[in-house]
Amino acid sequence: MSLTIERDTLIKKWLKEAENMINESVNNELEIETKSDRSDFVTNMDRNIEEMLVKKIRAEYPNDKIVSEEGFGDDPTNIDMSEDTVWFLDPIDGTMNFVVQDENYCVMLAIYEKNVGIQSYILDVKKEKLYWAIKGKGVYCNDELLPKIKNASLRDGLFASNTKFLSDEIVGLNTEILKETLGIRNIGSAGLEAVEIAKGNTVLYITYGLNAWDIAPGIMMVQESGGTVKRFDEKPLNPLEKSALLMGTHAAVEDALQIIKNK
């Protein structure tokens, strides 16, 4: 069995365990804390899932590096993306949605080898849909292979932006992009926004300096769906570096880059 297939089998098993943990948590009161601000939630479930997954990864692949949200992984400053095999883990992406809505959140995991996305997994727990991708094999929803996305332009599709899209410094840019599209949509989960691109529901997603665990799974999945991901400054991608990103079809990303250059 190849290493990729071996990891795929284990990851799907582990994500099922995470799904069960979340579903069982409805019978227990969540412990909720805030981190950077009043809307930046973390729960005991975030920490429990991350701890469980990190322990399993370390037991099977002790030489690999782990970048994760709640502190159970490795120090990112000691990771060399050009050489290391790195696991990116977000135990619950969209924790605010998890707490307030009980939907529109996911468990995310991705593996990069020498800064190339090899495997990506985004589990929509409430809808019982696991989106997954292996480099060169396409994107799947559960057992169904999704078609490659059409190369639609901005004017022919919807776009999405992360929750900073109305902040003072970037509302103007989003307004200019909005004018060129059919409209805007917003979920509140970077992972599920990447899924929307992979499904062909949106043509562009803009992120403004999200953390590595928020974007690494989505980057790989969008690329494998036939789309592209570029930084605003068009420098080489490195998930460990916070930067503003454009994810989407090749045409829509180029359309957005032109708007950015002309501002």
Side-chain angles (χ1 to χ4, degrees):
M1 181 185 295
S2 72
L3 176 59
T4 300
I5 299 303
E6 172 192 280
R7 292 187 305 209
D8 179 69
T9 301
L10 287 172
I11 289 166
K12 288 173 180 173
K13 178 183 176 182
W14 298 342
L15 289 176
K16 187 64 180 178
E17 291 182 40
E19 180 182 22
N20 291 338
M21 289 172 64
I22 291 173
N23 289 333
E24 290 169 4
S25 73
V26 299
N27 300 317
N28 302 303
E29 186 172 350
L30 281 175
E31 299 171 16
I32 304 169
E33 301 173 23
T34 57
K35 295 192 288 186
S36 61
D37 58 54
R38 62 185 293 271
S39 65
D40 186 10
F41 286 174
V42 61
T43 72
N44 56 313
M45 191 52 51
D46 293 79
R47 295 192 175 107
N48 291 345
I49 290 173
E50 180 170 317
E51 183 177 21
M52 179 270 288
L53 290 172
V54 167
K55 284 182 177 178
K56 290 181 180 296
I57 295 167
R58 292 208 190 283
E60 296 289 340
Y61 309 102
N63 295 323
D64 292 356
K65 303 295 186 181
I66 302 172
V67 177
S68 57
E69 183 169 13
E70 307 305 338
F72 293 93
D74 296 301
D75 182 350
T77 62
N78 295 329
I79 294 175
D80 183 353
M81 285 294 296
S82 67
E83 294 295 331
D84 293 327
T85 295
V86 185
W87 296 61
F88 293 91
L89 170 60
D90 193 339
I92 299 180
D93 180 53
T95 301
M96 172 69 77
N97 294 346
F98 174 58
V99 172
V100 176
Q101 298 179 331
D102 191 28
E103 62 180 347
N104 296 323
Y105 62 89
C106 57
V107 182
M108 299 201 298
L109 190 153
I111 301 171
Y112 281 60
E113 296 176 355
K114 296 184 177 180
N115 205 27
V116 175
I118 304 298
Q119 295 172 247
S120 176
Y121 302 81
I122 298 176
L123 173 63
D124 186 334
V125 177
K126 291 298 288 188
K127 294 181 180 178
E128 298 183 336
K129 291 183 177 181
L130 174 61
Y131 298 90
W132 56 281
I134 294 176
K135 185 171 175 57
K137 302 296 184 182
V139 178
Y140 286 77
C141 176
N142 294 333
D143 296 324
E144 179 183 356
L145 176 64
L146 300 181
K148 292 286 187 179
I149 60 175
K150 297 178 180 178
N151 190 25
S153 64
L154 267 185
R155 69 185 304 274
D156 293 322
L158 299 165
F159 97 102
S161 180
N162 70 1
T163 52
K164 294 182 179 180
F165 75 100
L166 287 179
S167 62
D168 292 340
E169 66 271 23
I170 59 179
V171 66
L173 173 59
N174 277 301
T175 300
E176 291 303 309
I177 291 174
L178 176 58
K179 292 176 183 178
E180 301 300 319
T181 72
L182 296 177
I184 188 169
R185 298 293 183 268
N186 184 251
I187 297 175
S189 160
L192 294 181
E193 296 288 13
V195 164
E196 289 298 288
I197 293 172
K199 290 162 63 178
N201 290 345
T202 56
V203 297
L204 182 73
Y205 174 54
I206 305 177
T207 73
Y208 297 93
L210 293 180
N211 291 301
W213 49 81
D214 293 309
I215 59 169
I219 289 174
M220 191 272 165
M221 192 161 290
V222 167
Q223 291 172 332
E224 193 60 29
S225 73
T228 188
V229 182
K230 290 189 176 183
R231 291 168 50 134
F232 278 28
D233 58 15
E234 299 190 71
K235 292 180 180 179
L237 290 174
N238 181 344
L240 291 179
E241 295 177 359
K242 279 190 175 184
S243 59
L245 297 178
L246 299 160
M247 298 185 181
T249 68
H250 289 266
V253 167
E254 289 304 317
D255 290 342
L257 281 173
Q258 282 303 120
I259 294 172
I260 292 168
K261 290 174 182 177
N262 291 334
K263 277 194 67 65

